[in-house]
Amino acid sequence: MTLKTVLKSVLRRAGYAVYAIPKAGGERRGDYAYAEAHPNATLAPWLTDDDFMQAFEVAKSNTLVDIYRLHELWSLVAETDKAGGDIVEVGVWRGGSGCLMAKKAQLMGANSTVWLCDTFSGVVKAGDQDSYYRGGEHSDTSEAVVSDLAARLGLNNIKTLTGIFPDDTGAQLDASAVRLLHIDVDVYQSARDTVDYLWDRMPSGAAIVFDDYGFVGCEGVTRYADSLRERQDLTYLHNLNGHAVLVKR
């Protein structure tokens, strides 16, 4: 067994995935091509958003999501307020992205609960559609870790549901409307089950964000999100930061 294999095995058991960065010319993985994306745009609105930057400094060690995607989620909290309803995150890990969304909602004075749904024991529902995940990854967390971050951010608008969503905890989510749904579950079936369960509660103007859409190893999520493109009741956008964003018509 090579050192590389041993290191990947150790990191995988700890919940981390290691991938080679695709070469500039790109590489193919099944139906998809991957390459580093370097847009030429230089506008950086997060740098002038003092509230975001202060919250980000507190939360950044509790998330694997980069600042670009985090600021997009922060912004969508405000944009989707027009639709009305609660905010749901499925796939919370250590709470960084979910608590940032909750902080934005709190600062706005929004009458929204932010529901944070996770097994806190790792990825579930990995299957044949998924190229990397096998189950149990990202288990290095707990509900207490999320509660600690929420306390440090001074949040009073979150509810945490522990268990498989929606199988175990869907009935506990009593929101009548969901205006923003952040899906960060890494695998096909979990993403699909989440959308199937919550779609009818989402009003016109509500948004779904697939965090894993643009990343090597998450082809199952990419494949599921792409399967929704032909629907007439939504507008679909792939952001080069890696997100796929669906807006309900």
Side-chain angles (χ1 to χ4, degrees):
M1 184 178 293
T2 66
L3 177 60
K4 178 180 177 182
T5 302
V6 171
L7 287 173
K8 288 181 71 173
S9 176
V10 170
L11 289 169
R12 187 165 187 165
R13 285 197 298 271
Y16 295 95
V18 178
Y19 304 107
I21 297 173
K23 298 176 182 179
E27 65 177 68
R28 293 294 298 266
R29 287 180 176 248
D31 297 332
Y32 297 103
Y34 293 88
E36 287 189 90
H38 297 288
N40 292 324
T42 55
L43 183 66
W46 51 90
L47 295 178
T48 56
D49 188 333
D50 292 339
D51 288 335
F52 171 77
M53 291 304 300
Q54 289 172 14
F56 173 73
E57 286 302 316
V58 177
K60 65 183 181 181
S61 62
N62 284 59
T63 181
L64 298 174
V65 180
D66 59 53
I67 193 170
Y68 315 111
R69 287 177 287 152
L70 289 171
H71 190 259
E72 181 166 67
L73 292 171
W74 177 274
S75 300
L76 283 170
V77 171
E79 289 299 319
T80 59
D81 189 50
K82 305 163 189 174
D86 285 353
I87 296 165
V88 177
E89 179 173 77
V90 182
V92 176
W93 194 51
R94 296 180 178 175
S97 57
C99 285
L100 276 174
M101 290 190 292
K103 187 64 177 180
K104 177 62 174 178
Q106 185 182 73
L107 289 170
M108 291 172 53
N111 185 26
S112 300
T113 297
V114 180
W115 300 83
L116 304 180
C117 311
D118 203 297
T119 64
F120 298 106
S121 59
V123 171
V124 295
K125 300 186 180 181
D128 294 342
Q129 298 276 5
D130 306 300
S131 64
Y132 172 79
Y133 286 94
R134 296 295 178 264
E137 297 86 356
H138 306 307
S139 62
D140 52 335
T141 184
S142 68
E143 187 175 346
V145 169
V146 177
S147 296
D148 174 71
L149 176 60
R152 286 188 283 127
L153 285 169
L155 301 176
N156 59 9
N157 58 347
I158 69 168
K159 291 185 179 181
T160 304
L161 302 182
T162 300
I164 299 173
F165 186 88
D167 311 50
D168 300 333
T169 59
Q172 300 173 46
L173 199 159
D174 60 5
S176 60
V178 175
R179 62 182 172 93
L180 178 58
L181 171 58
H182 181 222
I183 300 175
D184 191 1
V185 295
D186 303 303
V187 296
Y188 175 95
Q189 193 62 52
S190 186
R192 180 170 182 167
D193 289 349
T194 298
V195 174
D196 287 347
Y197 190 80
L198 292 176
W199 180 256
D200 289 342
R201 301 194 204 184
M202 303 188 76
S204 176
I208 298 173
V209 179
F210 291 98
D211 190 80
D212 310 303
Y213 178 86
F215 297 92
V216 172
C218 297
E219 289 87 355
V221 175
T222 310
R223 190 170 293 109
Y224 173 62
D226 281 348
S227 75
L228 302 174
R229 283 179 180 265
E230 302 304 318
R231 291 182 57 151
Q232 298 302 305
D233 55 353
L234 59 82
T235 298
Y236 179 105
L237 170 69
H238 169 213
N239 191 328
L240 290 180
N241 64 16
H243 277 164
V245 181
L246 281 59
V247 180
K248 191 170 185 178
R249 294 179 178 174

